[in-house]
């Protein structure tokens, strides 16, 4: 984080010294101030450009490679990228566990019907289909109480 202040100081100093060497004695003080201000403005512009690169990368669907490798915005992009990759991995693992769970339920000799909070059918296995006469195309999202008495 300290390097950001150092780089700002360097840009301000560069503007200050450029104004010092290129100004005349009559406008020396104003030129030094404006040179310092210009150096700071350049630093802010560069920092803004780097932040926009990271924001555009975050808005895009492709998070494979961060746009920046160094600097504060590079660190932010790399950390976000690592978190996204970890979340994707957790999602894939959860999906695999869910598919294994459904495979086990489907292989069960018992009829299994999964209902939502309102009592609508979300899923059922083949055994439940034959026991209750349910059809996946027709009966999914129907109220269980309307189909089975």
């Amino acid at each position: 984080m300290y390097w950001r202040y150092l780089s700002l100081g360097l840009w301000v100093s560069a503007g200050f010294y450029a104004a010092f060497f290129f100004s005349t004695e009559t406008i020396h003080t104003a030129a030094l101030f404006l040179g310092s201000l210009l150096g700071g403005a350049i630093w802010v512009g560069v920092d803004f450009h780097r932040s926009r690169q990271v924001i555009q990368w975050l808005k895009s669907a492709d998070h494979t490679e961060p746009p920046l490798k160094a600097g504060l915005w590079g660190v932010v992009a790399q950390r976000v990228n690592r978190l996204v990759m970890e979340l994707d991995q957790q999602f894939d693992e959860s999906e695999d566990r869910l598919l294994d769970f459904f495979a086990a339920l489907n292989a069960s000799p018992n009829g299994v019907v999964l209902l939502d909070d309102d009592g609508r059918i979300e899923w059922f296995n083949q055994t439940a289909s034959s026991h209750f006469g349910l059809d996946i195309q027709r009966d999914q999202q129907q109220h269980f109480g309307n189909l089975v008495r």
Side-chain angles (χ1 to χ4, degrees), residues 5-48:
Y5 301 123
L6 179 64
S7 68
L8 174 61
L10 289 174
W11 276 103
V12 169
S13 298
F16 179 85
Y17 287 116
F20 180 77
F21 288 116
F22 294 113
S23 67
T24 62
E25 288 184 28
T26 56
I27 58 167
H28 200 59
T29 305
L32 294 178
F33 174 74
L34 290 176
S36 300
L37 192 63
L38 178 64
I42 290 172
W43 180 84
V44 168
V46 168
D47 193 61
F48 179 75

Side-chain angles (χ1 to χ4, degrees), residues 79-93:
R79 287 185 179 183
V80 167
N81 190 42
R82 185 174 53 238
L83 287 173
V84 166
M85 289 174 56
E86 288 174 3
L87 287 174
D88 284 346
Q89 182 181 1
Q90 289 175 358
F91 179 78
D92 291 342
E93 290 171 359

Side-chain angles (χ1 to χ4, degrees), residues 62-127:
D62 182 26
H63 291 200
T64 55
E65 190 65 28
L68 303 171
K69 301 285 188 233
L72 175 70
W73 293 112
V75 170
V76 168
Q78 289 175 357
R79 287 185 179 183
V80 167
N81 190 42
R82 185 174 53 238
L83 287 173
V84 166
M85 289 174 56
E86 288 174 3
L87 287 174
D88 284 346
Q89 182 181 1
Q90 289 175 358
F91 179 78
D92 291 342
E93 290 171 359
S94 295
E95 190 172 18
D96 290 343
R97 284 193 304 270
L98 183 63
L99 291 175
D100 290 343
F101 177 72
F102 279 131
L105 287 177
N106 216 12
S108 172
N110 300 317
V112 179
V113 178
L114 298 180
L115 306 175
D116 65 7
D117 292 339
D118 295 328
R120 292 190 201 106
I121 298 172
E122 286 195 2
W123 183 88
F124 53 88
N125 64 2
Q126 189 62 37
T127 308

